[in-house]
Amino acid sequence: MEGDVVEYRIDRQSGVPAYVQIVRQTEQALRMGVLRVGDKLPTAREVVAATAINPNTVFRAYRDLEQAGLVRSRRGLGTFVTRSLARPGAEDDSPLRTDLAEWVARARSAGLDRDDVLALVTAALDEHEHQRHEHDPDDRGRKQEDA
């Protein structure tokens, strides 16, 4: 597959380093099934042309992805996805995704902006985690050990 599977967008106002944004966007594409095992990432030259960032920034992001075991660089050929992060329910055509898209549309039409929606989702996830830990004390111990 050509390097046009994912298109990186760099938000210079976010305060998040560009290489971290590339890593996060790649991970999101892997979770959503946009990127699949065997897909080729855009070349550093393509990313630089599209985003006007330093090539070393792209190389650092790709190196971090490679160290995480998500991609593999092949000299002269490019960087290829080696592992997926997709889980059932995250695909574009999943019922969960459809329900969430409808909910986001309702939230936006109610006047909520992106940060408001993210805050609501984060609060709901935090509450879910809290409730889960109350019902499974052993899980809380494992979480703390992982931290």
Side-chain angles (χ1 to χ4, degrees):
M1 207 167 241
E2 293 301 313
D4 60 358
V5 175
V6 65
E7 198 173 301
Y8 297 113
R9 288 180 172 68
I10 303 303
D11 179 358
R12 291 173 184 355
Q13 307 303 315
S14 71
V16 177
Y19 81 93
V20 173
Q21 292 182 51
I22 291 172
V23 169
R24 288 180 180 168
Q25 289 174 35
T26 303
E27 290 173 341
Q28 181 174 352
L30 289 167
R31 288 186 195 291
M32 300 304 295
V34 173
L35 282 173
R36 293 184 162 90
V37 173
D39 285 348
K40 182 180 177 187
L41 296 184
T43 66
R45 180 176 288 160
E46 291 169 334
V47 176
V48 168
T51 61
I53 61 174
N54 188 301
N56 289 328
T57 301
V58 181
F59 294 137
R60 179 172 181 185
Y62 284 11
R63 185 177 61 244
D64 286 0
L65 290 164
E66 190 163 13
Q67 288 174 346
L70 299 174
V71 302
R72 182 169 173 229
S73 179
R74 296 186 192 152
R75 194 167 199 69
L77 296 175
T79 303
F80 296 86
V81 174
T82 57
R83 188 171 61 119
S84 175
L85 296 175
R87 300 227 198 288
E91 306 88 7
D92 280 340
D93 59 351
S94 78
L96 287 174
R97 176 88 184 255
T98 302
D99 291 348
L100 183 58
E102 291 169 358
W103 180 86
V104 168
R106 286 196 322 269
R108 295 304 294 254
S109 67
L112 300 180
D113 67 15
R114 180 183 180 87
D115 289 336
D116 297 329
V117 170
L118 289 172
L120 279 173
V121 170
T122 300
L125 286 169
D126 290 347
E127 179 62 24
H128 177 76
E129 287 294 312
H130 177 74
Q131 288 174 1
R132 193 177 87 202
H133 292 313
E134 285 181 347
H135 296 298
D136 186 3
D138 290 338
D139 187 50
R140 181 180 19 213
R142 279 188 300 246
K143 266 295 201 213
Q144 289 173 350
E145 290 171 10
D146 292 343

